[in-house]
């Protein structure tokens, strides 16, 4: 394996795991609530901006990694309680319009608070520098992000399959009326799910902060990639989100090496092929 190929492979994994963390939040919300949240990318952006402020004030990246996603999670929970809860019985177009409007509001909001310029965040000292991999130097922080994806996947899998709360969420997703009849507070479950999905978006924003410029448009760009991931993997499929993120990350990375002229079009070509061959996604269920 050449040095360029190895670097592109690692870059693809790093980007893919970042995509997974944001996409799995989108998948969880859709899988349980049936809501396609266009504002999910804006929650990712807000997480990055909050990390910027927390790191500037405290010089502690790890505090930002905990506090910023939590605040974004509460923002998502408030959104669900005050706005989305009123629209569950209406046509899905109302939800799409609401979340798209929220996206525009949050985009303008960060401009008012942090300005329209771009910002950067340094990686924490513990993860600064590079490591030698088969004779090739590679940033330690990028490897940390690549490893964070499987860790998040494992924690979520254990939560949804082994914990009582996770099983309750799955029950509410399968049959809302039956769960309600059995005494499950479905409204509280939905709020908790939206908190979790938004928390994951905020976490992805914090992790992305040392890798990418923090700017008002960063949420708009990532949400397109996130939607491609969930469609390729299968709407509502947890393993599908992981597989789709890895595939898209590698396609993006190796596209730079082998097809630079059409690299920007490759994700959309991948999406088109999947929709033609397997419309429900790689691991999506029928119906």
């Amino acid at each position: 394996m050449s040095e360029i190929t190895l670097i592109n492979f690692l870059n693809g994994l790093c980007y893919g795991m970042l995509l997974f963390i944001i996409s799995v939040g989108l998948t969880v919300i859709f899988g349980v609530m049936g809501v396609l949240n266009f504002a999910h990318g804006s929650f990712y952006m807000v997480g990055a901006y909050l990390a910027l402020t927390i790191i500037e004030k405290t010089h502690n990246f790890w505090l930002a990694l905990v506090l910023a996603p939590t605040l974004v999670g509460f923002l998502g929970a408030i959104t669900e309680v005050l706005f989305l809860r009123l629209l569950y019985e209406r046509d899905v177009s109302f939800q799409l319009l609401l979340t798209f409007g929220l996206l525009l509001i949050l985009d303008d909001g960060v401009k008012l608070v942090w300005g329209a310029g771009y910002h950067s965040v340094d990686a924490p000292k513990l993860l600064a520098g590079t490591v030698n991999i088969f004779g090739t130097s590679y940033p330690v922080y990028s490897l940390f992000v690549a490893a964070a994806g499987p860790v998040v996947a494992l924690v979520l899998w254990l939560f949804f399959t082994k914990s009582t709360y996770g099983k309750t969420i799955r029950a509410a997703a399968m049959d809302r009326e039956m769960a309600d009849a059995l005494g499950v507070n479905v409204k509280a479950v939905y709020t908790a799910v939206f908190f979790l999905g938004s928390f994951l978006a905020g976490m992805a924003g914090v992790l992305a902060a040392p890798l990418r410029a923090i700017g008002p448009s960063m949420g708009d760009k990532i949400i397109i990639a996130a939607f491609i991931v969930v469609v390729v993997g299968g709407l509502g499929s947890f393993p599908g989100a992981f597989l789709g993120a890895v595939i898209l990350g590698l396609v993006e990375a190796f596209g730079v090496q082998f097809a630079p002229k059409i690299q920007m079009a490759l994700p959309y070509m991948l999406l088109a092929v999947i929709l033609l061959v397997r419309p429900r996604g790689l691991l999506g269920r029928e119906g």
Side-chain angles (χ1 to χ4, degrees), residues 65-75 195 199:
L65 187 57
V66 174
L67 186 56
T70 302
L71 293 174
V72 175
F74 281 117
L75 175 61
F195 174 92
F199 178 92

Side-chain angles (χ1 to χ4, degrees), residues 42-57 68 71-72 75 105-121 214-216 218:
S42 295
F43 291 149
Y44 160 87
M45 172 187 65
V46 171
Y49 272 106
L50 289 175
L52 171 68
T53 298
I54 294 169
I55 292 171
E56 286 180 346
K57 299 295 184 182
L71 293 174
V72 175
L75 175 61
I105 291 171
L106 290 175
D107 278 2
D108 286 340
V110 298
K111 292 177 184 177
L112 289 173
V113 176
W114 286 280
Y118 286 84
H119 309 270
S120 61
V121 168
I214 302 173
M218 65 183 296

Side-chain angles (χ1 to χ4, degrees), residues 189-249:
V189 168
Y190 278 16
T191 302
V193 166
F194 216 86
F195 174 92
L196 176 60
S198 303
F199 178 92
L200 291 167
M203 177 186 289
V206 178
L207 292 174
L211 295 173
R212 299 170 178 273
I214 302 173
S217 62
M218 65 183 296
D220 302 343
K221 296 176 181 177
I222 200 71
I223 193 60
I224 296 173
F227 272 118
I228 292 176
V229 166
V230 297
V231 172
V232 168
L235 282 171
S237 170
F238 179 85
F242 190 90
L243 179 61
V246 171
I247 291 173
L248 183 58

Side-chain angles (χ1 to χ4, degrees), residues 63-123:
L63 178 62
L65 187 57
V66 174
L67 186 56
T70 302
L71 293 174
V72 175
F74 281 117
L75 175 61
I78 292 170
T79 300
E80 193 277 334
V81 171
L82 296 182
F83 303 109
L84 279 172
R85 188 173 290 182
L86 304 175
L87 303 178
Y88 291 140
E89 304 303 325
R90 299 192 181 187
D91 186 80
V92 68
S93 60
F94 286 89
Q95 299 172 8
L96 298 178
L97 288 172
L98 172 66
T99 56
F100 183 74
L102 182 61
L103 179 152
L104 299 177
I105 291 171
L106 290 175
D107 278 2
D108 286 340
V110 298
K111 292 177 184 177
L112 289 173
V113 176
W114 286 280
Y118 286 84
H119 309 270
S120 61
V121 168
D122 293 330

